[in-house]
Amino acid sequence: MTGSLSNKMALGKSIKMYLTIFVATTCIYMVLYQYHVSRQPLTANEVVKHPEKTSLPSSSYIASYLWAPMLNSSVINGTMGVEQIQVHGQVRVHGPNTTDSSASASASGSAAASASSSGASVYSTVSLPQTLSSNGNLKSISSTTTTTTTTTVAATVPTTPTTTTTTTAIDKLKTPITQSSHAHKLLGKAAHKIRSRFVAVSEPPPLYIITPTYRRPEQLAELTRLGYTLKHVLNLLWLVIEDANKTNPLVAHTLDRIGVPYEYLVAPMPEQYKHTKKAKPRGVSNRNRGLDYLRANASEGVLYFADDDNTYDVNIFEQMRYTKKVSMWPVGLVTKTGVSSPIIREGKLDGYYDGWIGGRKYPVDMAGFAVSVKFLHERPNAKMPFKPGYEEDGFLRSLAPLQNSEIELLADECRDILTWHTQTKKNPPAQPFNATRYANTNLAFIEKLLVRP
């Protein structure tokens, strides 16, 4: 009996000891785990659980702001002919056949001024829906401008968004606007009047792109390709100048559809050059007409001759817009050398590399230089000569006096290629349309969109 009791007591002590060890070990592990967790850094989502209440913008908000010029460009150059101007926290919207509507960026002008002085940031978006009736007439235009002002005063003050919405409705407009599915109806006399208006602002400096064009099967395709490149560039006016006696409704319709602010002009080649058996000075009258337009309508900015068959990296437009006098850069796919470029030695212009020098002082490609509008005004006699092969050289010579040290070298000091002298394959004119066989088909509409010499 005594031995059995002794065994039970020993077993109870063992169980108690094991339980004590288990509890102690568990407590130690829990303490170590809590210590380990406390040493780990919190994730971004745990640190900022309410990013909208912080005074500093998040990375995604910064990224959206950096892309804001691209978004504003799509609004400015939309197919409805919309113009958005943002000046000191104010947005103005212009549409075809509408009056101006402006939305203040704050509750009052004094509030906007104080916000601007305290480091306020203003971001604006514009939406202009249009309602079309079943017969294609524009019954009403409802323009809604929403301006959101975000003012940051100090790090401890929460951001306060203020939204002001102004809606302007114009009913019973008599101007007919046809649906896009019937493009042939847009080729009337007033088709090119429905377009984005251009109002130059000082920042960034305006760009004036002069594009000569002429009637050929590839004309619309090449203008479309260039136009959608220019649509990514802000504060730009596209001067499309055709070698013709009158404008072409097909070209006007294409420019309207692209949505880049433009002026469509004509400048026919002089008769004495049309019938020559030698090489013809193509595009000279067009470019000189563009220079005349700028002398009459522009006082600042930069002009650039952009042929419609070339290829352009949009970065070159942002670089050239700050040209003080003349800037130059390489052009790829030119002559047997494959590139036309200034030669830079020890950071200075030391000549030109081109497959055909031909006694030219400036053997460069037309796509390889830009000129300040102010500098052009200081050279009232500057123009392009009607001399095939020497158009660029003659124009740059007419800008004299011009020293090599005054020529700015773009595209990483002419170590990069951002423009290419591409050439579209020449296509024969489309064969005559069989109106009897295809009169009641879609081909009757497509026929009206073909350009024939």
Side-chain angles (χ1 to χ4, degrees):
M1 177 67 73
T2 303
S4 176
L5 180 61
S6 176
N7 292 335
K8 289 182 179 180
M9 292 178 64
L11 179 61
K13 290 180 180 181
S14 299
I15 293 174
K16 185 177 181 181
M17 181 182 64
Y18 285 131
L19 288 175
T20 303
I21 294 174
F22 174 78
V23 172
T25 304
T26 303
C27 292
I28 293 172
Y29 273 110
M30 290 178 65
V31 171
L32 292 176
Y33 175 77
Q34 291 295 332
Y35 177 78
H36 174 73
V37 170
S38 65
R39 299 288 294 177
Q40 294 296 319
L42 295 178
T43 62
N45 292 334
E46 293 173 330
V47 174
V48 185
K49 293 184 179 180
H50 302 285
E52 68 276 6
K53 295 183 180 180
T54 62
S55 60
L56 298 177
S58 63
S59 59
S60 61
Y61 193 78
I62 295 175
S64 65
Y65 173 68
L66 292 177
W67 280 104
M70 188 73 71
L71 298 177
N72 290 341
S73 176
S74 64
V75 174
I76 294 173
N77 302 327
T79 58
M80 291 178 287
V82 179
E83 171 191 339
Q84 174 187 346
I85 310 170
Q86 179 177 336
V87 181
H88 302 299
Q90 210 171 39
V91 177
R92 296 179 182 176
V93 181
H94 300 274
N97 301 325
T98 64
T99 57
D100 295 354
S101 64
S102 61
S104 176
S106 60
S108 64
S110 59
S114 62
S116 177
S117 61
S118 61
S121 301
V122 180
Y123 310 104
S124 303
T125 58
V126 176
S127 176
L128 290 179
Q130 289 188 346
T131 304
L132 286 173
S133 63
S134 58
N135 59 2
N137 292 331
L138 183 63
K139 284 187 174 180
S140 64
I141 298 178
S142 177
S143 60
T144 303
T145 304
T146 302
T147 304
T148 302
T149 305
T150 303
T151 306
T152 302
V153 179
T156 59
V157 179
T159 302
T160 303
T162 302
T163 303
T164 303
T165 303
T166 302
T167 303
T168 302
I170 300 178
D171 298 325
K172 298 181 181 179
L173 288 181
K174 297 181 180 180
T175 304
I177 298 181
T178 54
Q179 301 177 8
S180 59
S181 59
H182 300 286
H184 67 288
K185 295 182 180 179
L186 284 174
L187 304 181
K189 295 182 179 179
H192 63 285
K193 295 181 180 179
I194 307 170
R195 66 172 189 262
S196 302
R197 292 178 53 194
F198 174 77
V199 178
V201 296
S202 57
E203 289 297 334
L207 286 177
Y208 298 95
I209 308 301
I210 300 176
T211 298
T213 186
Y214 65 97
R215 192 179 185 92
R216 63 197 188 280
E218 306 83 18
Q219 183 181 25
L220 301 184
E222 293 184 331
L223 288 174
T224 298
R225 179 176 55 192
L226 174 58
Y228 280 102
T229 297
L230 299 180
K231 199 166 185 177
H232 293 277
V233 185
L234 292 178
N235 203 17
L236 175 146
L237 179 62
W238 191 15
L239 302 178
V240 180
I241 308 172
E242 185 162 5
D243 183 357
N245 293 314
K246 61 180 181 180
T247 58
N248 184 353
L250 284 172
V251 173
H253 169 59
T254 300
L255 299 178
D256 290 335
R257 182 170 57 186
I258 296 171
V260 174
Y262 72 90
E263 290 291 340
Y264 180 25
L265 310 173
V266 295
M269 183 185 297
E271 291 295 330
Q272 63 266 33
Y273 302 110
K274 288 183 178 180
H275 307 292
T276 180
K277 296 181 179 180
K278 300 180 181 179
K280 297 180 180 180
R282 294 189 179 276
V284 175
S285 60
N286 315 51
R287 299 184 183 97
N288 284 333
R289 177 66 181 89
L291 297 177
D292 294 339
Y293 178 91
L294 295 181
R295 288 189 172 101
N297 298 280
S299 59
E300 61 178 356
V302 173
L303 71 94
Y304 177 59
F305 300 114
D307 291 350
D308 55 9
D309 59 346
N310 289 347
T311 303
Y312 307 90
D313 188 314
V314 293
N315 289 301
I316 194 61
F317 296 105
E318 297 307 321
Q319 294 183 32
M320 74 171 71
R321 72 163 74 240
Y322 297 97
T323 299
K324 294 180 175 62
K325 292 186 177 181
V326 176
S327 58
M328 292 185 179
W329 57 88
V331 180
L333 303 179
V334 178
T335 68
K336 60 185 179 182
T337 59
V339 65
S340 175
S341 173
I343 299 175
I344 312 304
R345 183 173 282 110
E346 296 180 355
K348 297 181 180 180
L349 179 60
D350 190 44
Y352 297 91
Y353 182 74
D354 193 275
W356 178 70
I357 302 298
R360 296 180 294 170
K361 181 179 180 180
Y362 300 101
V364 297
D365 188 79
M366 192 70 71
F369 65 92
V371 179
S372 165
V373 172
K374 183 178 179 181
F375 186 63
L376 177 70
H377 279 288
E378 297 172 357
R379 307 292 190 272
N381 297 323
K383 62 179 181 180
M384 192 166 292
F386 287 89
K387 188 176 180 181
Y390 292 86
E391 295 91 342
E392 303 92 338
D393 180 62
F395 174 67
L396 292 172
R397 283 174 180 264
S398 69
L399 296 174
L402 176 63
Q403 305 298 325
N404 282 353
S405 58
E406 297 176 311
I407 298 177
E408 302 165 52
L409 308 173
L410 305 185
D412 192 18
E413 292 187 346
C414 297
R415 291 178 290 190
D416 197 3
I417 298 178
L418 298 178
T419 58
W420 294 265
H421 191 90
T422 50
Q423 299 180 14
T424 304
K425 173 189 173 183
K426 300 300 179 182
N427 294 272
Q431 65 181 13
F433 177 69
N434 190 335
T436 303
R437 184 176 182 180
Y438 302 108
N440 297 323
T441 68
N442 64 307
L443 300 181
F445 301 114
I446 296 178
E447 158 67 14
K448 299 179 183 297
L449 302 177
L450 299 179
V451 177
R452 292 183 173 86

